Amino acid sequence: MSRTTSESEDGMLSNNQIESPLGEEDNYGGSASGGVVLKKGPWTSAEDAILIEYVKKHGEGNWNAVQKHSGLFRCGKSCRLRWANHLRPNLKKGSFTQEEEQLIIELHAKMGNKWARMAAHLPGRTDNEIKNYWNTRIKRRQRAGLPLYPPEVSLQALQESQRCLNINGIDSGNKGLHDTLQTNNYGIPDVMFDNLKANQSILPYIPELPDITASSMLMKGLSSSQYGSFMSPTLHRQKHLREAKTLLSSFSGGMKNEFHLFDQFQHNDKAAQYFGLPFPFDPDATTKNPEFFGENQGSHTLANGDFSASKPTSEAVKLELPSLQYSETDLGGWGASCSPSPLIDSVDTFIQSPPTGTVDSDGPSLRNSGLLDALLHEAKTLSSAKNQSSDKSSNSSTITPGDNADSAALNICETEWEDYGDPISPLGHTATSLFSECTPISASGSSLDESPPTETFTGSKRKFGCSAEFNVKSESIDQTWTADREKESSTRLDIIHPDALLDSDWLEHDSTYGKDQVIMTDAIATLLGDDLGSEYKQMATGASISHGWGLGSCTWNNIPAVCQISELP
DNA sequence: AACCCTGTCAACCGCATCAGT
DNA sequence: TACTGATGCGGTTGACAGGGT
């Protein structure tokens, strides 16, 4: 006789029932455990009572013993879950308050999908609740074409990152832009994250690479689109390669010589177009031409913090988390974010595929990663290995000569970096697997099928995968973030966007950095595999380009960005 | 009324980690 | 060191309800 739900509703199962193997499962199925079929499915109030009583007597823990001693027909896991999510005292019921929602957003920006950690900051809330809330939120915002994070969050993060950079005097080549950002000429308020900020000044140094705080946020947002566009589908490789030929030949030249995005664009209207910038591009447009950033708000997907929703999100690409992910110990603030682990940790769920590698050497933060940051890290690691350990000592060549302080810092950083090195991807993904896992984004936009019906204009033409589409938000449905706030903040973020994309010289350092340059180039090439890799290297070095798709400027000091040169009609 | 869509909630599953042996 | 069990975490799924067509 099978147990029915109604029987279960009685809650108490007789010993007879409990001991009975129950040849048939109840309506919710069950799993055999030591000859006992454990009940699955919804809990009854009687079961709850049993569990509560048990915990009162024995305390939490030892959940497997519950079934043995209480007569409860549930596995330990189920008991623990039930207790944690529903029965334990001080659980807060009901929907999240606005404050809680805001906090979740902030926390998620920092932690990513670390629900349990987030729950620790929300008394009475469970990880499951937060997870459910966030997933719902993602869907909602995606459908509406809204940024996953409110621009304030992105902006704050970026500011912190820039500050982080300036503190170390790194990337002085972009000083102008950084200054612009830092001076906060746009009246950008520190709306959020004040409670999360760290006292950066106490940091003796800020590691170079892991500085992905704000950058990473943008980057990861970028990634969500990049994995759609950057991860160029095989079908379109040839197209991309062709087109990149033209672009990169001029583009890489700039990057070679301390490429400055704005300088570059100042003389390259076309390039500006690629990023959806109006042109002639005015590098000082942030102050001279507020209309640009205002009325055109939303013209930058990334800049809007629209990390995912407005992208032609590929099915294979996880929507999540353009997030800054820090270890919980980093909760002190952004400044403390300059540790490697969060970077890779953050990669988390962008890529859905299971790990292919066996590597676990890098700790938990590395698992399931797949963000570009980590990808590039992986690539560098791989490439560095290729270039033999003798090069290790010279890795600090990425620093600006003469800058001893930075040199020291960077050496440390490099050491940390090397610590993460592993011949096998710490991400559990080979580069090729990662690429292959990404659903192609058709240049024709076919992959936009799943995109929300946002009003989209593609600048002039979409050239860089980084930029993806430039969405104009048409609505805001998020309760926490009003349309006005979105708009306002989006406006500000636009200013930053190009820098976030190209304020870097990952691809090609100054010739001074020759060795590192080779390493990085090789790294990306490694990522691309033999086929594309060689072509990439050709492009990266400004050599003749036989095909056109490749990785654009990626940051070493700042924002690891990979830009796809996509097709021009 | 039927159907569809969406949001919410609860629970399960697989994997990772950790501690004990 | 390897194995095992317990626990925790994150992803996913399914049931259900409510609203719109």
Side-chain angles (χ1 to χ4, degrees):
Chain A
M1 174 182 173
S2 63
R3 271 192 299 126
T4 64
T5 303
S6 59
E7 286 172 333
S8 297
E9 286 299 336
D10 292 339
M12 303 297 295
L13 297 171
S14 68
N15 270 351
N16 199 20
Q17 287 173 300
I18 294 167
E19 297 300 328
S20 166
L22 294 177
E24 310 94 10
E25 296 177 350
D26 64 16
N27 289 348
Y28 297 102
S31 59
S33 174
V36 176
V37 176
L38 299 176
K39 185 173 179 289
K40 295 167 84 174
W43 279 64
T44 65
S45 55
E47 285 177 310
D48 286 345
I50 295 174
L51 183 56
I52 291 171
E53 190 63 24
Y54 179 88
V55 174
K56 276 183 185 173
K57 278 185 183 175
H58 303 91
E60 297 182 40
N62 204 12
W63 296 111
N64 282 338
V66 177
Q67 182 248 323
K68 294 173 185 171
H69 299 132
S70 70
L72 205 49
F73 227 30
R74 299 279 185 167
C75 70
K77 261 185 161 182
S78 185
C79 292
R80 178 191 148 273
L81 203 65
R82 183 66 184 176
W83 175 258
N85 288 345
H86 301 281
L87 303 179
R88 70 180 161 94
N90 303 324
L91 271 181
K92 206 184 283 183
K93 296 294 183 182
S95 56
F96 288 105
T97 66
Q98 276 209 341
E99 290 74 22
E100 286 175 322
E101 289 177 357
Q102 176 127 349
L103 182 56
I104 289 172
I105 294 167
E106 294 179 17
L107 290 171
H108 192 273
K110 291 193 74 174
M111 300 173 176
N113 293 1
K114 302 303 177 187
W115 313 118
R117 286 186 203 167
M118 293 166 71
H121 294 268
L122 289 160
R125 299 298 186 177
T126 68
D127 54 351
N128 210 33
E129 274 182 295
I130 297 171
K131 182 169 54 181
N132 285 337
Y133 165 76
W134 187 260
N135 289 337
T136 299
R137 173 186 151 83
I138 286 180
K139 279 188 205 168
R140 193 167 58 227
R141 293 183 73 88
Q142 180 183 26
R143 193 174 302 115
L146 289 172
L148 188 53
Y149 292 110
E152 286 92 336
V153 176
S154 305
L155 182 59
Q156 181 70 47
L158 184 64
Q159 287 180 309
E160 293 294 338
S161 175
Q162 297 295 343
R163 196 189 324 172
C164 186
L165 288 174
N166 276 15
I167 285 173
N168 291 277
I170 299 175
D171 202 7
S172 59
N174 298 298
K175 183 175 181 296
L177 181 55
H178 291 162
D179 288 347
T180 302
L181 290 169
Q182 283 212 327
T183 52
N184 199 357
N185 288 335
Y186 320 108
I188 301 162
D190 288 350
V191 176
M192 302 178 63
F193 287 86
D194 287 343
N195 56 324
L196 301 175
K197 286 179 180 177
N199 184 355
Q200 296 178 0
S201 61
I202 66 173
L203 297 176
Y205 78 97
I206 299 181
E208 162 205 19
L209 182 73
D211 172 39
I212 46 82
T213 53
S215 310
S216 73
M217 170 171 280
L218 292 173
M219 182 50 214
K220 287 162 190 170
L222 190 60
S223 299
S224 66
S225 63
Q226 281 178 336
Y227 286 129
S229 53
F230 151 66
M231 300 302 181
S232 182
T234 305
L235 281 175
H236 301 293
R237 282 180 180 175
Q238 296 302 320
K239 285 181 181 178
H240 294 316
L241 289 167
R242 275 196 303 273
E243 299 304 330
K245 177 191 285 186
T246 307
L247 271 174
L248 271 183
S249 58
S250 62
F251 209 62
S252 62
M255 291 186 281
K256 272 187 174 179
N257 302 294
E258 281 203 40
F259 171 74
H260 295 178
L261 171 67
F262 284 81
D263 291 343
Q264 177 82 0
F265 285 172
Q266 203 165 1
H267 309 291
N268 193 343
D269 296 342
K270 191 176 180 181
Q273 279 184 276
Y274 294 160
F275 290 92
L277 302 175
F279 60 94
F281 180 76
D282 180 358
D284 199 26
T286 56
T287 54
K288 290 179 183 174
N289 190 12
E291 299 83 11
F292 160 45
F293 293 105
E295 296 176 3
N296 208 19
Q297 63 96 6
S299 63
H300 299 104
T301 298
L302 174 62
N304 279 330
D306 191 353
F307 299 130
S308 57
S310 62
K311 305 296 181 303
T313 309
S314 80
E315 294 156 337
V317 176
K318 300 286 291 189
L319 181 61
E320 182 228 357
L321 351 226
S323 61
L324 308 173
Q325 301 185 358
Y326 301 84
S327 67
E328 49 201 329
T329 56
D330 290 328
L331 276 175
W334 300 99
S337 64
C338 301
S339 66
S341 55
L343 160 65
I344 305 177
D345 193 24
S346 64
V347 177
D348 229 79
T349 50
F350 268 93
I351 304 302
Q352 233 172 345
S353 70
T356 57
T358 58
V359 181
D360 193 31
S361 60
D362 292 330
S365 65
L366 296 177
R367 73 191 155 113
N368 294 332
S369 62
L371 285 179
L372 194 54
D373 303 337
L375 187 62
L376 292 171
H377 159 218
E378 173 189 7
K380 180 176 185 270
T381 301
L382 287 169
S383 184
S384 296
K386 282 183 182 177
N387 286 280
Q388 299 186 352
S389 59
S390 62
D391 284 344
K392 279 189 177 182
S393 60
S394 63
N395 280 342
S396 59
S397 62
T398 54
I399 60 173
T400 303
D403 191 340
N404 291 337
D406 285 349
S407 176
L410 290 172
N411 274 321
I412 296 170
C413 182
E414 191 65 32
T415 300
E416 293 180 359
W417 182 253
E418 292 296 337
D419 286 344
Y420 277 79
D422 194 300
I424 307 174
S425 165
L427 314 180
H429 296 275
T430 65
T432 49
S433 72
L434 195 147
F435 278 79
S436 64
E437 288 154 6
C438 295
T439 300
I441 297 297
S442 164
S444 63
S446 61
S447 61
L448 280 166
D449 292 346
E450 292 192 356
S451 299
T454 55
E455 181 183 347
T456 300
F457 66 95
T458 21
S460 55
K461 290 161 187 170
R462 182 171 136 203
K463 306 299 190 303
F464 284 88
C466 296
S467 299
E469 291 77 28
F470 312 127
N471 291 325
V472 176
K473 294 193 289 275
S474 57
E475 62 172 323
S476 173
I477 58 171
D478 187 280
Q479 294 177 351
T480 306
W481 305 92
T482 65
D484 286 343
R485 294 175 66 186
E486 295 270 9
K487 185 177 180 179
E488 177 183 342
S489 303
S490 298
T491 299
R492 297 170 186 150
L493 264 174
D494 282 338
I495 300 164
I496 303 163
H497 174 50
D499 176 53
L501 291 177
L502 293 176
D503 170 26
S504 59
D505 41 14
W506 165 292
L507 183 61
E508 292 291 333
H509 272 275
D510 185 276
S511 55
T512 310
Y513 315 144
K515 187 168 292 183
D516 227 51
Q517 172 179 327
V518 170
I519 290 174
M520 295 314 302
T521 301
D522 284 344
I524 298 175
T526 301
L527 268 178
L528 297 176
D530 293 337
D531 184 39
L532 288 174
S534 60
E535 290 170 345
Y536 159 73
K537 288 173 71 175
Q538 283 185 309
M539 292 185 288
T541 55
S544 64
I545 300 171
S546 57
H547 299 294
W549 101 264
L551 304 174
S553 172
C554 303
T555 185
W556 174 243
N557 286 332
N558 189 6
I559 303 159
V562 177
C563 301
Q564 170 205 345
I565 314 302
S566 60
E567 183 178 20
L568 299 174

